[in-house]
């Protein structure tokens, strides 16, 4: 893995070297050393944690620090009627791979969406928009003997 590119992708999503370092258990200086090319990779445990981080983990990190809800901010900018191309442009992404990482979906699934059609209403897109899934009430149980039972008069 190219650690420098991965770190730059995270920083592009709003992370800071200090925030990345905190999440993977190293010093901010270790992140700066990787970015400067003086170190090729973090130690094994930190590399494992760094590999698990995605841009979605830092979406709106700067806004959070200022007390703004990043989901609400993003939902205000994005709606399900926009196309995949428009969503990538709005988020500043150039590839479907970056969009897939934010949505936590397989790249081939995101690539299969048409460029100019409205985004599909998959749970990952709805979660990005801050839409909470509606809980469906379970229908009442059906009694198969309901039409065969008659009231009994008590003597």
């Amino acid at each position: 893995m190219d650690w420098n590119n991965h770190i730059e992708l995270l920083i592009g999503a709003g992370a800071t070297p200090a925030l990345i370092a905190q999440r993977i258990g190293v010093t901010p200086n270790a992140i700066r050393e990787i970015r400067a090319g003086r170190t090729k990779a973090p130690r094994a445990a930190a590399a494992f944690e760094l590999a698990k981080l995605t841009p979605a983990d830092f979406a709106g990190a700067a806004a959070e620090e200022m007390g703004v809800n990043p989901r609400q901010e993003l939902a205000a900018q994005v709606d399900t009627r926009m196309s995949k191309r428009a969503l990538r442009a709005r988020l500043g992404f150039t590839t479907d791979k970056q969009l897939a990482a934010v949505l936590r979906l397989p790249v081939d699934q995101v690539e299969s969406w048409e460029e100019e059609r409205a985004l599909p209403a998959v749970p990952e897109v709805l979660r990005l928009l801050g839409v909470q899934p509606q809980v469906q009430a379970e229908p009442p149980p059906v009694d198969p003997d309901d039409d065969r039972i008659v009231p009994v008069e008590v003597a």
Side-chain angles (χ1 to χ4, degrees):
M1 176 175 231
D2 184 349
W3 298 111
N4 191 20
N5 283 345
H6 187 64
I7 289 170
E8 293 303 323
L9 182 65
L10 297 176
I11 288 173
T16 62
L19 191 53
I20 296 170
Q22 177 187 8
R23 297 250 180 118
I24 68 172
V26 298
T27 65
N29 192 47
I31 301 299
R32 286 191 282 278
E33 291 289 316
I34 294 169
R35 289 182 74 200
R38 292 187 287 270
T39 303
K40 294 289 183 204
R43 52 186 167 75
F48 180 72
E49 293 300 317
L50 181 58
K52 291 192 303 187
L53 294 178
T54 67
D57 296 327
F58 298 100
E64 272 181 6
E65 289 177 6
M66 294 170 26
V68 177
N69 183 339
R71 281 233 189 253
Q72 289 174 346
E73 292 290 315
L74 188 57
Q77 297 176 10
V78 179
D79 69 49
T80 56
R81 295 174 302 210
M82 74 182 346
S83 67
K84 178 174 73 168
R85 180 178 308 206
L87 177 61
R88 276 196 325 258
R90 182 67 53 93
L91 297 175
F93 296 152
T94 56
T95 67
D96 286 342
K97 184 176 181 181
Q98 294 166 318
L99 184 58
V102 167
L103 294 173
R104 295 183 178 160
L105 288 172
V107 175
D108 57 335
Q109 182 180 355
V110 174
E111 287 175 342
S112 71
W113 299 343
E114 293 184 37
E115 288 288 321
E116 298 304 324
R117 285 225 169 174
L119 294 169
V122 295
E124 293 80 4
V125 171
L126 296 175
R127 187 174 52 243
L128 177 71
L129 301 175
V131 176
Q132 296 297 322
Q134 298 292 327
V135 177
Q136 299 293 328
E138 289 189 29
V142 177
D143 184 1
D145 294 326
D146 191 37
D147 61 339
R148 297 183 3 196
I149 299 174
V150 294
V152 177
E153 293 183 26
V154 179

